[in-house]
Amino acid sequence: MKREVKGRFLIILTAIILSVLFLLPSTPLYSILPDWWGTIFPDKGITLGLDLRGGMHLILEVEGEKAVENAIERNMASLKDALKDEEITISSIQREGREISFSFDSGDNEKITELLDDKYASLVTSREESGEKVLTFRKSEEKRILDMATLQALETIRNRIDEFGVTEPLIQQQGANQILIQLPGVKEPERAIELIGKTAQLEFKLINETSALLNQFPSRLNPEEAEQFFDEFKDKIDPEDEILFGRNVDKDTGDVTKTPYLVKKQAVLAGDLLTDARVSFGEFNDPYVSITFDPLGSKLFEKVTDENRRRRLAIVLDKSVKSAPRIQEKISGGQAQITGTFTTQEANDLAIFLRAGALPAPVRIIQNVTVGPSLGKDSIQKGLIAGLFGSLMVVIFMVVYYRLSGLLADIAMALNLILLFGALAALNATLTLPGIAGIILTAGLAVDANVLILERIREELRAGRPVRLAIDAGYSKAFSSIFDSNVTTLITGFALFMFGTGPIKGFAVTLSLGVMINLFTSLVGTKVVYDLINGRKRLEHLSI
């Protein structure tokens, strides 16, 4: 065997062995292999996509308007403190929609204008009268907040899904404020929706325990009575306070009640200063969430607990009081606990929310499709039948029309598929129904390339050339046609991958990989077999 032929043969053999090794985890055979196999050889294979495996398909819309209102709220709180620091007295300050309005002594107008120009460049005065200003965001700032709300929501949802443990999720922005999510294999769709859609704004707020109204607050309410209670008291409380509810679940009966709390609107600490959150268990095996603040959060938490000893501090998640412990002493070290009537799963979900961060704005589900696994099985079965039937027809045709050379082309097609599946497994690619279509199309292209080669060889044999020279000339003359057609298909595949989404990308991946492998198998794989045969004995006749 010539060294050149031997080298090409070893390359093909190595490619086949590697493909089989990478493909094994995707086959039932992997379950009977010893445990040590996965520590040495690849342990991940091809993942089935949503259309084959079943799962969830969601389209969420980010309510960016709420993000703008939240930003205005934060600016109002900051402006209030800044005016106080500058010793400017204001008689009122409030937010209405996207506007901040406040009243002041008209003599302070110049100082206020200076303060706004220096520290609040994103705000602009929309209306002004003597002793009153109305501020709103500049248009450019509003656009930035809206754009960032979608991007931040995308990143937060991706973090939450990673924590949830879904393999091969598809999460991408769609349009200006929509997010496309596909979760293959999810078996708890309701829990997944809860995890994805919860805003998870964590705040620490002091409880007002001095109001006379507290004497009229019941200790527990039925859920249906809570709204009526809120409507009765919302206009009676101080403008700086608000009514929030805590949820209680009776462990024995499962009955749910609500506890009303009168808390300060202004949060003393926010959840964005957390660095970690994890589930722990108490003395009676009750789960709670242990949280850790960053250095800034640690200092603020220490200061808050030092200045408010003997007062109750409400831990509020999305306007719901999770717990309201009384501060006994200054807490240093930046660690705290969120206790409540949690189940272990609820505590785990809360820890995921806190680790992944809060959504910058609420999200609304505008499309929710759950694909059942039976649909995936049907799709796989029909796809396999179509592929096997098509392949069988091609194999028979090639053997009948090109005889032994046709059988060699069939082997090349099979080799093409083995290498293609091996490459997909090596990339841990997700196989979808369009991906299967790309594989079947690739098989057709592999046969097409071999037909071109075999027809050129036939022409050379009819012209009276010896077999070895006819084979060399056939490959040489077919090369440019095969190369050109495959390269143009490859360019199309890259374009589909670059600009397509979801299923189109799946089709583009299998098509592009298949085309590249097809070039290798048709021009190198079959040729090395002819060279091996010719190297052993001089062929007088070629079955073609």
Side-chain angles (χ1 to χ4, degrees), residues 236-365:
K236 297 180 183 176
I237 61 175
D238 190 277
E240 293 189 348
D241 294 342
E242 64 180 339
I243 297 173
L244 298 178
F245 294 93
R247 184 172 177 271
N248 317 289
V249 181
D250 189 298
K251 289 181 179 176
D252 297 325
T253 64
D255 292 341
V256 176
T257 56
K258 290 192 171 184
T259 301
Y261 294 94
L262 188 62
V263 302
K264 293 291 181 186
K265 276 185 181 176
Q266 181 68 45
V268 292
L269 202 59
D272 57 352
L273 300 174
L274 293 181
T275 58
D276 192 21
R278 55 187 68 237
V279 178
S280 301
F281 292 89
E283 185 181 353
F284 300 102
N285 208 30
D286 294 330
Y288 65 89
V289 178
S290 174
I291 56 177
T292 306
F293 292 101
D294 64 11
L296 175 60
S298 298
K299 285 183 183 176
L300 287 175
F301 190 62
E302 185 176 334
K303 182 171 180 285
V304 167
T305 52
D306 188 29
E307 293 176 353
N308 296 281
R309 297 184 196 201
R310 309 282 185 272
R311 295 189 64 182
R312 295 181 73 188
L313 181 67
I315 302 172
V316 183
L317 182 73
D318 287 345
K319 303 292 183 185
S320 174
V321 177
K322 292 298 176 185
S323 57
R326 189 173 296 282
I327 302 170
Q328 301 294 347
E329 58 185 6
K330 180 174 74 173
I331 301 175
S332 306
Q335 290 197 326
Q337 296 175 357
I338 303 176
T339 57
T341 54
F342 299 124
T343 63
T344 304
Q345 180 178 304
E346 286 172 340
N348 271 323
D349 289 351
L350 177 57
I352 289 174
F353 291 139
L354 300 179
R355 281 199 300 268
L359 288 176
V363 293
R364 187 165 61 91
I365 296 174

Side-chain angles (χ1 to χ4, degrees), residues 78-329:
S78 170
L79 178 61
K80 190 177 174 182
D81 291 340
L83 289 169
K84 188 178 177 183
D85 292 342
E86 295 291 330
E87 298 180 349
I88 298 171
T89 304
I90 53 173
S91 54
S92 69
I93 182 166
Q94 60 184 355
R95 175 182 71 82
E96 289 182 8
R98 295 185 179 188
E99 293 182 332
I100 302 170
S101 61
F102 62 102
S103 304
F104 53 91
D105 187 335
S106 54
D108 291 327
N109 189 44
E110 191 175 337
K111 286 175 69 177
I112 291 173
T113 304
E114 266 184 42
L115 175 69
L116 292 174
D117 290 343
D118 287 348
K119 296 184 177 177
Y120 297 91
S122 60
L123 294 173
V124 62
T125 305
S126 60
R127 294 195 305 276
E128 186 171 8
E129 295 176 7
S130 178
E132 186 174 351
K133 277 182 186 289
V134 178
L135 308 175
T136 188
F137 277 132
R138 295 180 188 278
K139 292 296 177 190
S140 58
E141 179 67 8
E142 276 193 14
K143 185 176 182 307
R144 187 191 70 80
I145 293 171
L146 290 171
D147 292 343
M148 286 302 295
T150 305
L151 293 174
Q152 287 174 9
L154 188 74
E155 192 59 32
T156 302
I157 289 171
R158 181 173 286 121
N159 290 339
R160 288 183 183 181
I161 290 173
D162 287 346
E163 297 264 0
F164 190 43
V166 179
T167 56
E168 300 292 333
L170 173 67
I171 308 160
Q172 61 186 29
Q173 186 173 347
Q174 181 173 279
N177 63 342
Q178 292 182 358
I179 296 174
L180 167 68
I181 301 171
Q182 290 187 346
L183 305 176
V186 166
K187 295 176 182 171
E188 299 175 278
E190 291 179 359
R191 187 183 171 208
I193 289 174
E194 176 77 6
L195 269 172
I196 291 168
K198 199 155 191 169
T199 310
Q201 296 279 359
L202 182 70
E203 297 169 302
F204 295 80
K205 295 185 173 184
L206 289 168
I207 288 183
N208 183 350
E209 296 177 278
T210 59
S211 173
L213 288 175
L214 288 178
N215 295 328
Q216 302 175 43
F217 274 37
S219 58
R220 296 286 171 95
L221 286 165
N222 292 324
E224 56 270 18
E225 295 173 335
E227 191 172 342
Q228 185 183 348
F229 173 84
F230 180 79
D231 290 338
E232 183 184 345
F233 282 91
K234 68 179 180 182
D235 297 325
K236 297 180 183 176
I237 61 175
D238 190 277
E240 293 189 348
D241 294 342
E242 64 180 339
I243 297 173
L244 298 178
F245 294 93
R247 184 172 177 271
N248 317 289
V249 181
D250 189 298
K251 289 181 179 176
D252 297 325
T253 64
D255 292 341
V256 176
T257 56
K258 290 192 171 184
T259 301
Y261 294 94
L262 188 62
V263 302
K264 293 291 181 186
K265 276 185 181 176
Q266 181 68 45
V268 292
L269 202 59
D272 57 352
L273 300 174
L274 293 181
T275 58
D276 192 21
R278 55 187 68 237
V279 178
S280 301
F281 292 89
E283 185 181 353
F284 300 102
N285 208 30
D286 294 330
Y288 65 89
V289 178
S290 174
I291 56 177
T292 306
F293 292 101
D294 64 11
L296 175 60
S298 298
K299 285 183 183 176
L300 287 175
F301 190 62
E302 185 176 334
K303 182 171 180 285
V304 167
T305 52
D306 188 29
E307 293 176 353
N308 296 281
R309 297 184 196 201
R310 309 282 185 272
R311 295 189 64 182
R312 295 181 73 188
L313 181 67
I315 302 172
V316 183
L317 182 73
D318 287 345
K319 303 292 183 185
S320 174
V321 177
K322 292 298 176 185
S323 57
R326 189 173 296 282
I327 302 170
Q328 301 294 347
E329 58 185 6

